[in-house]
Amino acid sequence: MATNRVLGWLESKKNLAGSACGLVGVSLTVTGVAGTYWPLVVAGLYGAGALIAPPEPPAPPEPVGPTEQLGGVRERFGRLREYVAEVELPAPAEGRLAELMDLYGALLEPGWVADVLAADPESVHALSRAIELDVPECVDTYNRTRWWTRLTPGGESPERHLERQLSLLSEEAARLTADLRETEARRQQTHTTYLEERGQHS
């Protein structure tokens, strides 16, 4: 680490600019202009060059891999579970939400299923969007609308909207799960085909 920092400084714009100005100080020393104070002149010119040099641009952030991204989704899912555990929902919607949360939890459970999920960026994005945005929005808007409905009854019930929203999210989760299952099925079929072809040529 220390070696990397030293090499980084040696290659930096500030060191290069300071060194260039320091060489000017050495030239003044050789010509006798700097006199007996030449060490101060060289050091001063080096420092001035280092100060006026533009700063190094910040290093770009390292790309987040699918496994790390899934870890972030898992953390947000834990917070979502805590949030929905504190809200009161009508029985049908509560049951549908519990099933949905169980499915999300199964997909995010560390292991080979999560590895399959992590290999599909679109599925990770869809699951992250549902956990971070869709489910909290469903629950939050239901609670807010229900409060207004108590003041001014009438219109379509908030419960009906909530149940429909959760049904749509469940359908999306089912499609996501089916896609991942199809991925594994294709992998199995590919291996079967490979073994059959290998047997024909042995």
Side-chain angles (χ1 to χ4, degrees):
M1 293 293 293
T3 303
N4 291 338
R5 286 196 296 270
V6 171
L7 290 175
W9 170 254
L10 291 176
E11 297 173 354
S12 68
K13 294 179 180 178
K14 287 186 174 296
N15 180 58
L16 294 176
S19 298
C21 291
L23 288 175
V24 174
V26 172
S27 299
L28 293 175
T29 301
V30 172
T31 58
V33 175
T36 58
Y37 299 103
W38 68 267
L40 295 177
V41 173
V42 173
L45 288 173
Y46 175 87
L51 286 174
I52 63 174
E56 294 290 329
E62 295 185 4
V64 178
T67 302
E68 292 79 6
Q69 185 178 3
L70 201 61
V73 177
R74 195 175 288 121
E75 290 179 8
R76 292 191 291 274
F77 177 65
R79 293 195 293 270
L80 177 62
R81 264 186 166 160
E82 295 175 359
Y83 169 65
V84 299
E86 297 176 356
V87 299
E88 182 180 349
L89 300 177
E94 186 175 13
R96 179 59 61 88
L97 180 58
E99 293 174 1
L100 187 61
M101 296 294 286
D102 287 343
L103 179 55
Y104 290 162
L107 290 171
L108 290 170
E109 185 71 25
W112 69 268
V113 175
D115 292 340
V116 174
L117 174 63
D120 186 350
E122 290 186 5
S123 295
V124 173
H125 172 71
L127 186 59
S128 175
R129 179 183 57 201
I131 289 172
E132 188 171 2
L133 299 175
D134 296 332
V135 174
E137 182 71 6
C138 291
V139 175
D140 188 53
T141 54
Y142 164 74
N143 282 321
R144 292 171 182 267
T145 308
R146 182 179 59 168
W147 186 88
W148 286 107
T149 303
R150 289 171 179 170
L151 296 180
T152 55
E156 196 167 9
S157 70
E159 289 78 8
R160 183 175 179 182
H161 275 293
L162 176 62
E163 291 173 22
R164 179 59 179 151
Q165 291 168 354
L166 294 176
S167 295
L168 291 170
L169 287 175
S170 296
E171 292 171 7
E172 181 184 62
R175 288 194 300 270
L176 187 151
T177 305
D179 290 343
L180 295 176
R181 182 179 61 218
E182 181 63 25
T183 298
E184 287 300 284
R186 287 197 301 268
R187 178 185 174 190
Q188 185 183 38
Q189 180 60 48
T190 299
H191 192 58
T192 300
T193 303
Y194 162 72
L195 291 176
E196 289 174 344
E197 292 177 350
R198 191 174 72 181
Q200 293 172 0
H201 293 88
S202 60

